[in-house]
Amino acid sequence: MTEKIIIATEGYVYFSLGSFTLTEADFLHWLGMEPDAFHISGKGVGKPRLNWKITTRRTINPDLPEMIEHIVDRLIPIKDRLIAFKRAYPDLNCQFQIVFWLGTEYVPALTIENDTLLFLGEIGAVLDCDMYNRV
């Protein structure tokens, strides 16, 4: 008899704005909102980029539509600021990211409502979904 190994499905959702030239003070001035974190990416390839990031927690058996809604709800109050910031800095990297690792017991639903898609288009965000298989 073979024992079945249970591997958890995990995931999280985040929104980030990134720049090679702007500072933390610039992000705070334009957005008027503290991020959950400032993060530097690209150090390993010699192109460090400062990222202003709003995120959910990494969660076992995630409810991705609820996580997506949570992030959008946090961004709606600064929608006009996001649009103005992106217009002022067209090279600003604007990403809405969905990340999950598939396990053996749970497959998350990935539903993105029309109003969310419209919102992401209005603020100039790229929607990116990274799916990994843990099995």
Side-chain angles (χ1 to χ4, degrees):
M1 183 169 166
T2 304
E3 186 176 322
K4 186 175 182 181
I5 298 172
I6 297 174
I7 301 170
T9 293
E10 292 184 68
Y12 69 105
V13 175
Y14 70 88
F15 173 81
S16 71
L17 291 170
S19 173
F20 295 109
T21 59
L22 297 172
T23 66
E24 288 183 12
D26 294 325
F27 282 95
L28 296 174
H29 168 76
W30 276 93
L31 301 174
M33 179 178 163
E34 288 281 341
D36 292 330
F38 279 107
H39 170 72
I40 303 288
S41 63
K43 285 189 264 185
V45 294
K47 288 193 80 169
R49 180 176 70 200
L50 177 64
N51 298 286
W52 180 95
K53 188 174 181 179
I54 300 292
T55 187
T56 64
R57 293 181 183 265
R58 188 166 164 171
T59 305
I60 293 175
N61 297 338
D63 183 337
L64 294 174
E66 183 178 294
M67 293 171 133
I68 292 166
E69 183 178 336
H70 175 73
I71 297 295
V72 170
D73 286 348
R74 291 182 64 192
L75 295 172
I76 286 173
I78 63 166
K79 176 182 168 183
D80 291 341
R81 289 174 170 259
L82 289 164
I83 292 168
F85 196 18
K86 182 73 172 156
R87 281 189 185 142
Y89 297 93
D91 292 338
L92 196 62
N93 182 284
C94 185
Q95 284 194 16
F96 195 92
Q97 186 83 32
I98 302 162
V99 183
F100 59 95
W101 296 262
L102 288 173
T104 57
E105 295 294 306
Y106 176 82
V107 178
L110 181 55
T111 303
I112 304 168
E113 299 291 337
N114 288 339
D115 57 342
T116 297
L117 294 171
L118 179 61
F119 175 79
L120 296 177
E122 288 174 329
I123 64 172
V126 171
L127 175 62
D128 188 13
C129 184
D130 293 342
M131 299 167 274
Y132 304 99
N133 191 349
R134 293 183 132 174
V135 181

